[in-house]
Amino acid sequence: MVEVADRAAEAAWKIGNLKDFDRRLERAARRVDERSGEGGLAAMVVYEAALMKSGRPREEVREMVRSFREAFEDEEEPLTIAHASGIMRVEGDDWFFGDGSLRVLTGRLLGQFQHRVAQYNYVDEGEVLRRWADGYDTRLFVRRRIFETEPVIGVVGGLDLLLLQHLRVAAGGNTLIPSNEVARALESLGYAPAADGYETLGQAEDLALRLDLPAPIVGEMLEELGREGFVDYPEPPREEATGQEEPGEANVASEGGAVHGGAADEPPEEKPSPAEREERTRIRQESAAGEEPTRVQDPQAKDAPGVAEEDGDAADPASPESGSEDQPGTSGRGDS
C-alpha cells in the first residue's frame, strides 16, 4: 500500500509540474462543460448516453442530440424527461440512427429516471440525476463491480461500464470514463498496467484526489495525454543519500538536534585519573606474580577486601565473652 501511495503522489507531482499544465487544465475544463449534456437538460443527458451505445463518434452523437432539441424544444412546454419520452414513443427510429434497440434502451432509461424524479418533490430533474450519479449507493455498486444490479441500470440493462460512466459524467457526477487512453496515460506516469476498467477508474480517481481537482477534469487531461502518447514528464527531485549508517550509529545526534534513547541518555562515565590507572596496572601485575593485594585502590570498588573494615561501615564481631548483647543490631532488644 505504501508503494501505491508513493506512486500516486509521484504521478500527481509529474502532472502538476508540466510546463503546459495550465493550458491542459483549461482545455479539460472546457471539454467537461461540453459533456454536461445540452444545457443541463436531464432528458438530453440520458438520450446522449443511450446513443453512445451505437459506437459512433461522440461528435456525431452530440449532433443528433442537438438536432432533436432544435426540432422539439418549445418555450411553452419544456423538454422534460416525461415530454421527451412521449415524443420518442411516437417518432420513428431515425432519431436513433435507425436502430430500434437504441430507441427501446432510451425509453427504459427515461422511464427509470422519470420514476426517480417523482420520488423527489420539487427537485429539479438535473439535480436528481446528479444525486444519482454522485450518490454513495451508485459509487458502491461500481466499486464492488456489480453495477448491473444497481436499481436504475439493473432494471434497464444493456449498459457496460463505459456507458454507465459516460452517463454519470454527463449527469454531473464526480467521476470519469476509464477509456484505453486514460489507462495508457496512467502507465506512462508509472502505474502498473490496469487489469480492467474498474482498476483504471480507481487509479484515476485516486490521482484526482492527489491533484485536488474534479475527477472529470483529470479524466479529460489523462485522455488527452494518452492520445498524444505523452511520456516527457518532469522527474521529481530525489533525496541524495549522504552515506550508509554504520551499525550502532542510529542514535548519533545530527546538527541542531538531540538524540533520545539508548546510550545517549545515560550519564557520562567518569574516567580514572593517571595515578589511578598506574595503581590499577601495578595491582594487576602483582596479581599475575602471585601476590594477593590487600586492597584494590579504586574508589568505585566497594566490595574489595578490607574496604568495609577501613571505612568503619561494619561493627566488630561479637566476642565469646560478650554474648549476644554485643552482636550488631541487638542493642536494646531486651530493655523494653
Side-chain angles (χ1 to χ4, degrees):
M1 294 299 294
V2 175
E3 182 181 354
V4 174
D6 292 343
R7 188 184 301 118
E10 182 175 318
W13 190 94
K14 288 180 178 179
I15 289 184
N17 286 273
L18 287 171
K19 294 180 180 179
D20 58 347
F21 173 78
D22 292 337
R23 290 194 296 272
R24 290 182 180 274
L25 183 63
E26 183 179 353
R27 290 197 299 267
R30 190 183 309 116
R31 287 192 296 269
V32 170
D33 289 340
E34 294 173 355
R35 279 181 180 268
S36 60
E38 288 301 313
L41 285 177
M44 297 299 97
V45 169
V46 177
Y47 180 36
E48 179 181 329
L51 291 182
M52 287 297 296
K53 190 178 180 181
S54 65
R56 295 174 182 266
R58 187 183 305 166
E59 268 310 312
E60 188 174 351
V61 170
R62 295 187 66 84
E63 181 60 32
M64 178 67 76
V65 174
R66 282 193 290 267
S67 299
F68 183 92
R69 182 174 180 179
E70 291 173 359
F72 298 103
E73 189 173 24
D74 189 348
E75 294 182 359
E76 297 181 358
E77 188 174 3
L79 200 56
T80 62
I81 291 178
H83 184 42
S85 179
I87 293 173
M88 292 177 182
R89 279 198 300 267
V90 298
E91 291 293 327
D93 295 338
D94 292 341
W95 295 109
F96 304 92
F97 302 114
D99 189 344
S101 63
L102 289 180
R103 180 181 179 182
V104 174
L105 175 64
T106 306
R108 289 178 177 175
L109 272 175
L110 289 171
Q112 286 299 308
F113 283 112
Q114 183 178 353
H115 176 69
R116 182 162 288 235
V117 168
Q119 295 175 337
Y120 293 88
N121 292 329
Y122 309 108
V123 178
D124 181 72
E125 290 182 347
E127 177 63 18
V128 172
L129 257 68
R130 190 201 64 79
R131 292 183 185 182
W132 167 83
D134 224 15
Y136 173 80
D137 291 342
T138 305
R139 288 180 174 275
L140 186 62
F141 278 104
V142 175
R143 189 179 303 117
R144 292 184 176 179
R145 307 186 179 205
I146 53 173
F147 74 89
E148 299 91 347
T149 62
E150 195 270 334
V152 173
I153 305 302
V155 173
V156 175
L159 293 181
D160 58 14
L161 178 62
L162 292 179
L163 289 176
L164 170 63
Q165 290 300 113
H166 181 93
L167 176 58
R168 292 180 64 197
V169 171
N174 188 25
T175 186
L176 54 92
I177 302 172
S179 63
N180 294 331
E181 289 75 16
V182 171
R184 190 179 304 118
L186 289 171
E187 288 185 35
S188 68
L189 285 166
Y191 283 90
D196 52 25
Y198 293 99
E199 191 170 338
T200 299
L201 179 62
Q203 292 174 351
E205 287 185 341
D206 180 61
L207 180 59
L209 290 175
R210 298 277 179 173
L211 288 167
D212 195 21
L213 289 172
I217 292 179
V218 174
E220 288 293 338
M221 293 180 68
L222 290 174
E223 188 164 346
E224 182 182 64
L225 292 169
R227 283 196 305 268
E228 296 175 1
F230 189 88
V231 294
D232 190 20
Y233 295 101
E235 287 297 326
R238 306 290 183 182
E239 296 182 1
E240 297 182 359
T242 57
Q244 296 182 351
E245 293 183 352
E246 296 294 335
E249 294 183 356
N251 289 330
V252 177
S254 59
E255 294 186 22
V259 175
H260 302 283
D265 289 338
E266 297 180 0
E269 182 181 356
E270 296 183 2
K271 296 183 178 180
S273 63
E276 291 175 344
R277 286 198 297 269
E278 293 178 3
E279 183 65 18
R280 292 182 183 181
T281 302
R282 183 184 64 78
I283 292 173
R284 284 195 297 270
Q285 291 174 352
E286 291 177 355
S287 299
E291 299 178 1
E292 182 68 23
T294 58
R295 182 175 184 270
V296 178
Q297 299 298 323
D298 187 352
Q300 296 180 355
K302 301 298 182 181
D303 57 344
V307 173
E309 290 82 358
E310 293 181 10
D311 292 341
D313 291 339
D316 295 333
S319 62
E321 294 79 11
S322 61
S324 61
E325 293 180 357
D326 294 334
Q327 295 180 5
T330 60
S331 175
R333 288 183 181 176
D335 297 339
S336 56

